[in-house]
């Protein structure tokens, strides 16, 4: 048993994307001097999505293993317009399909007075819990909240 913690999964996703899209670029140009302005099409991300999905699934396929994937956050947009005071997870958008719950950590205070609270932003098993505030950010507390919903 144990827990796998990947900090930050956003950077792992960035690295996988760089490698996989470079492979696509080289393949499209048959190893020749590839164009610097290469713009991948939507289907060019297939190998990247498969590879990063494997990163998420690998620890979850082992009995008794928990996994935590920490992501950076970014400004939320609707189309080309920024949504005021709204942030979202940066990184692979397929993450919710591979995990059981997603928690947004919110830092308050500064210096010696810094504290963290959370918000359950996604729950595969209990979607009615999405949006609830979490007073504590521990595995035991999160498990109790989600397991208690059943």
């Amino acid at each position: 048993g144990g827990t796998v913690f990947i900090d930050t999964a956003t950077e792992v996703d960035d690295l996988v994307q760089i490698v996989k899209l470079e492979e696509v670029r080289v393949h499209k140009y048959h190893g020749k001097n590839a164009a610097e302005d290469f713009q991948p099409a939507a289907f060019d991300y297939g190998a990247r999505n498969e590879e990063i999905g494997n990163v998420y699934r690998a620890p979850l396929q082992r009995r008794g293993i928990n996994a935590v994937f920490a992501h950076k956050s970014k400004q939320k947009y609707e189309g080309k317009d920024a949504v005021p005071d709204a942030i979202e997870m940066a990184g692979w958008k397929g993450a919710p399909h591979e995990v059981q719950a997603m928690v947004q950590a919110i830092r308050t205070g500064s210096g010696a007075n810094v504290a963290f609270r959370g918000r359950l932003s996604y729950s595969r098993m209990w979607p009615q819990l999405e949006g609830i505030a979490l007073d504590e950010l521990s595995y035991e507390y999160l498990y109790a909240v989600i397991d208690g919903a059943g």
Side-chain angles (χ1 to χ4, degrees):
T3 300
V4 174
F5 189 93
I6 298 180
D7 181 17
T8 71
T10 306
E11 292 175 4
V12 172
D13 175 52
D14 290 345
L15 291 172
V16 169
Q17 180 167 306
I18 289 167
V19 169
K20 290 302 177 182
L21 291 182
E22 179 63 16
E23 289 174 0
V24 168
R25 184 175 72 89
V26 168
H27 178 73
K28 278 189 171 185
Y29 293 96
H30 307 290
K32 297 177 186 167
N33 218 359
E36 293 293 323
D37 60 348
F38 169 68
Q39 294 295 317
F43 57 82
D44 290 332
Y45 288 87
R48 172 262 195 171
N49 291 340
E50 181 179 356
E51 187 71 25
I52 196 67
N54 289 337
V55 169
Y56 279 76
R57 287 186 289 274
L60 303 176
Q61 292 173 345
R62 295 200 163 49
R63 186 178 194 93
I65 298 291
N66 299 303
V68 176
F69 303 94
H71 286 267
K72 294 179 181 180
S73 58
K74 65 179 184 174
Q75 177 70 49
K76 185 174 183 174
Y77 283 84
E78 288 180 2
K80 293 185 178 185
D81 300 323
V83 178
D85 300 322
I87 59 172
E88 64 183 355
M89 181 192 83
W92 187 48
K93 299 300 180 228
H97 305 291
E98 300 296 339
V99 299
Q100 292 203 343
M102 295 179 71
V103 174
Q104 179 183 12
I106 302 158
R107 187 173 87 174
T108 58
S110 62
N113 296 322
V114 72
F116 289 90
R117 57 186 173 82
R119 183 179 66 82
L120 186 63
S121 57
Y122 169 78
S123 174
R124 178 185 297 178
M125 294 175 60
W126 309 109
Q128 68 271 22
L129 296 177
E130 292 173 9
I132 68 166
L134 301 169
D135 299 326
E136 185 181 322
L137 290 178
S138 70
Y139 177 80
E140 292 81 10
Y141 180 77
L142 181 60
Y143 180 80
V145 168
I146 292 174
D147 190 51

